[in-house]
Amino acid sequence: MEIERKFLVGKLPFDVKEYPCRRLSQGYISTDPVIRIREYDENSFELTCKGRGLMSREEINLPISREAYEHLSGKVEGRVIKKIRYLIPLENDLTCELDVFEGDLSPLVLAEVEFDSEEAAGAFTPPLWFGREVTADPAYQNSTLSSQSSPA
């Protein structure tokens, strides 16, 4: 189960390059249901299936080979999303996954925080540098961004 809240981010009060990051490319074979392929740093690959929902939904991640990824890449609908994901520690042992989008989705920046429970998600107070919450706005789901222009 994936439980996360998502926020727009404007100006950061720190240098994001101080934090560990990964370069991601992801494409959607289907957006309903969500079936995604993802490449991490050009050396690991994953197939993900997601259930319906915005803050909470089922998610299954399966590692796949480079060959399987390349084969499935030919079945991607819409754009391949490219972004750099920075991992920024927050209070209470939480981590912000800060996605800095590249290409035609730039300058979109989103912060996602994953939780162990819906109660923990509801109790979360975002840091001041987080902008407007977009958890419930389907326009900011990556599956939507793969087929439409940036909402920002």
Side-chain angles (χ1 to χ4, degrees):
M1 179 69 69
E2 174 187 60
I3 303 167
E4 70 180 10
R5 289 177 61 189
K6 187 180 293 196
F7 302 83
L8 289 172
V9 176
K11 185 166 174 42
L12 293 167
F14 51 82
D15 182 2
V16 73
K17 293 183 173 88
E18 296 175 14
Y19 297 95
C21 69
R22 297 181 89 176
R23 187 168 296 278
L24 285 76
S25 295
Q26 62 189 46
Y28 290 81
I29 295 168
S30 172
T31 57
D32 189 19
V34 171
I35 301 173
R36 174 189 76 203
I37 56 171
R38 182 181 275 172
E39 175 183 23
Y40 294 95
D41 296 325
E42 299 181 6
N43 64 14
S44 66
F45 309 90
E46 185 177 79
L47 173 72
T48 300
C49 299
K50 292 188 177 201
R52 288 196 168 96
L54 294 172
M55 184 175 80
S56 300
R57 60 185 170 170
E58 287 187 60
E59 178 180 84
I60 298 171
N61 297 302
L62 303 168
I64 59 174
S65 67
R66 178 183 300 272
E67 294 75 25
Y69 175 84
E70 290 171 355
H71 174 76
L72 291 169
S73 291
K75 301 185 181 333
V76 166
E77 297 178 4
R79 76 164 57 88
V80 173
I81 295 174
K82 296 186 180 290
K83 58 189 176 181
I84 300 174
R85 174 168 286 172
Y86 295 91
L87 301 177
I88 301 168
L90 301 174
E91 293 180 0
N92 301 317
D93 294 322
L94 294 172
T95 300
C96 167
E97 294 178 342
L98 185 74
D99 288 344
V100 178
F101 289 79
E102 299 180 314
D104 61 345
L105 289 175
S106 178
L108 181 62
V109 178
L110 293 172
E112 296 180 356
V113 182
E114 292 195 14
F115 302 92
D116 293 333
S117 69
E118 289 186 13
E119 294 77 23
F124 175 68
T125 301
L128 294 176
W129 55 272
F130 279 28
R132 177 171 61 96
E133 183 165 7
V134 294
T135 302
D137 187 343
Y140 290 94
Q141 295 293 314
N142 284 285
S143 56
T144 302
L145 292 172
S146 73
S147 62
Q148 298 177 7
S149 61
S150 173

